[in-house]
Structure formats: structure tokens, C-alpha cells
Amino acid sequence: MAKSNPNEMSFLDHLEDLRWHLIRVTLGILICATIAFIFSGFVFEHIVFAPKRMDFPTYKWLCKASQFIGINDTTFCATEFPFKIQSRTVAGQFSADIWTSIYAGLVLAFPYVIYQLWSFISPGLHASERKYSKGFIFTTSFLFFLGVLFGYYIVTPLSINFLANYSISPEISNEFDISSYIAMVRSSCLASGLVFELPIIIYFFTKIGLVTPQVLKKYRKFALVIVLTLSAIITPPDIASQIIVAIPILILYQISIYISKIVVKNQARKQKRASA
């Protein structure tokens, strides 16, 4: 185990400390995954398969919005999607249940994972920096869950609506494999959750001197291209969906610039105090 004084820890002590943090993270995820597995019926019926039904809130909102602007012939106002979900392998449903529970456990245990990460790196920080631990864990978790919700309520239904109604010939019927469907839902939610961590990433990059507000402003145009490319990757290839996804990412980028300014000002203020 780690010594009481972090400054006296050897390399092997750090490895031992890291090992115990990883064990706690794994146990936390497994506990949450077990809970998700126990309630897998609820998870699949009311969460995983909810976006494939037309009574999903997003479709209702988009249907009303389309009718408000005078567009009545829209797929958002249909009665059902023209596709079925099938399991084409012997262990398909069991594997889907296991892996869905694991990823659900990862999402549920995310605040605990961040707490363990912070517990590992905090001994190397100054006392003034460690006092912000609660704020860091809350902000990081909030942004992640906000991104997951964005992926679930925006990216996932837009993707399903586009891909389910896309057809190259009436001779072809859509029968999606359960693993393919779940992978799309999972990637949309997790990718959005990680993208929403951009302000936190910029905060640490600014702290260690990798980026500055001036650099972020200078390469804003390149960032716009990257954002649009990222939006095209995690959404279906239609302009409306890409714009809907790109808008919050651009807002996060602007917030990151503001956060970077604050970090630089605080560092300059500390240097003045130290020199005085």
C-alpha cells in the first residue's frame, strides 16, 4: 500500500497505489453492471429500445416542429419504423445483455471512476488545487451525463430515423441485428459523453501549458472543420443532423476558450504573488 507521505513514495509504491485504484474502479463498474443486469428487462424495454418507437419524446417534438413550419409529410410523424430487430446468432441475446449491462455499469459508475482518478493524482497537487476536488468530480460527471443524454435524445433518434427510412430499393427490407442496433445506441451516447468533456480537457491542457486562449482563437476555423467532421462521424450523413450536433460542440469550444483565459489569469496572478 501507499505510504502516508506521498512525497516519499517510490515508483513501485505509485504502481501499487494505481493498482488498488484500478481494482476499486473495476469493482465499482461490476457492481453497477450487476444491478443493470438484474434490471435488464427494464433497461432494454424502456431505454435501449425506446428510440425505435415513434412515441419517443424526440420524435414527438420534431413532428410538432415540422407541422409548425408547414411540413406534414415527414418521417417523424409516422406510426412505426419500417424495420425489425433480430438476433442472428445463438448467443446473440445473451451477449447483448452482458455487454449492455457492462456499458450501463460504466455510465452509472462514471462519478466513482472520476473520484478514483482524482484520488490517485491529487497527492501530487498543491493544497489549493486539492480543495477543488468536489467541484472537479461534479463538473466532470455533469458534463459526461449531459453528453450521454444529448447522444440518447438527439443523436440516437436522428440516426435511427435516417437509417431506418433510408432505402435503395423496395425489394430490400430492413432487419437489423441486435448487436448492430445496440452498438449504434452505445457509440452515440458514449461518444457524445466524451465530447462534452472538452472544457475539462482544455482546462488541464492549459494548466500544463499545451494550449492557450490565443491558440484556441487562432485555430478556431480549424476547430470548426474538426467539429463538423466529428459531427459527420457520430451522426447520419444529413446536414440537419450534423448541424444539430455541431451547435453544442461549438458552444463547448467557446466555453473552453473562456475557461482557458481564467486559468491563464490565475497562473499570472500566482506568479505575481510569488515574485512579490
Side-chain angles (χ1 to χ4, degrees):
M1 296 294 293
K3 297 178 182 179
S4 58
N5 186 359
N7 295 325
E8 297 179 357
M9 291 175 62
S10 65
F11 178 72
L12 292 179
D13 291 328
H14 281 292
L15 289 180
E16 178 69 8
D17 189 36
L18 176 61
R19 185 174 73 91
W20 279 105
H21 283 295
L22 292 177
I23 290 175
R24 296 187 190 102
V25 166
T26 303
L27 289 176
I29 294 175
L30 288 178
I31 291 173
C32 292
T34 302
I35 296 174
F37 183 79
I38 294 173
F39 296 97
S40 60
F42 176 86
V43 171
F44 278 95
E45 183 67 21
H46 297 284
I47 299 178
V48 177
F49 292 141
K52 72 175 289 291
R53 295 191 290 265
M54 293 307 302
D55 60 351
F56 194 65
T58 304
Y59 303 131
K60 292 182 177 180
W61 300 334
L62 293 174
C63 178
K64 292 179 180 179
S66 301
Q67 293 175 345
F68 178 77
I69 61 178
I71 302 176
N72 296 319
D73 185 16
T74 174
T75 56
F76 296 119
C77 299
T79 56
E80 62 179 358
F81 281 117
F83 74 91
K84 294 181 179 180
I85 298 178
Q86 296 187 353
S87 177
R88 301 179 184 274
T89 59
V90 175
Q93 295 193 52
F94 178 73
S95 297
D97 198 359
I98 293 296
W99 283 107
T100 300
S101 299
I102 292 175
Y103 282 104
L106 175 61
V107 172
L108 293 174
F110 186 81
Y112 182 72
V113 173
I114 294 300
Y115 168 75
Q116 289 298 325
L117 174 63
W118 183 264
S119 298
F120 176 70
I121 65 175
S122 60
L125 302 177
H126 296 291
S128 59
E129 294 174 328
R130 287 197 296 270
K131 69 179 182 180
Y132 296 112
S133 60
K134 294 182 180 179
F136 168 77
I137 296 171
F138 173 80
T139 304
T140 305
S141 302
F142 173 77
L143 290 174
F144 177 77
F145 288 130
L146 186 64
V148 170
L149 291 175
F150 179 80
Y152 181 70
Y153 282 102
I154 302 298
V155 180
T156 297
L158 288 176
S159 301
I160 292 176
N161 181 76
F162 176 83
L163 297 174
N165 290 284
Y166 187 85
S167 176
I168 59 176
S169 172
E171 300 292 330
I172 304 175
S173 60
N174 287 329
E175 298 178 354
F176 303 145
D177 188 76
I178 185 174
S179 60
S180 177
Y181 174 85
I182 294 177
M184 184 188 64
V185 176
R186 179 183 66 237
S187 61
S188 299
C189 294
L190 291 181
S192 298
L194 294 177
V195 167
F196 270 60
E197 296 293 337
L198 180 63
I200 303 297
I201 296 174
I202 294 299
Y203 171 82
F204 282 103
F205 280 2
T206 305
K207 290 283 289 184
I208 61 179
L210 287 180
V211 297
T212 62
Q214 293 75 19
V215 171
L216 294 175
K217 290 180 179 179
K218 180 179 179 181
Y219 294 101
R220 196 197 308 264
K221 295 180 179 178
F222 298 99
L224 176 60
V225 175
I226 295 175
V227 166
L228 293 176
T229 303
L230 183 63
S231 302
I233 293 174
I234 65 177
T235 59
D238 64 282
I239 300 300
S241 301
Q242 294 176 16
I243 293 176
I244 291 174
V245 174
I247 289 175
I249 299 178
L250 290 175
I251 294 175
L252 289 171
Y253 188 82
Q254 290 299 124
I255 294 176
S256 300
I257 295 177
Y258 178 73
I259 292 174
S260 183
K261 287 181 179 180
I262 295 177
V263 173
V264 171
K265 288 181 179 179
N266 290 337
Q267 289 178 337
R269 192 178 297 116
K270 289 180 181 179
Q271 290 178 355
K272 288 182 179 179
R273 290 177 181 175
S275 60

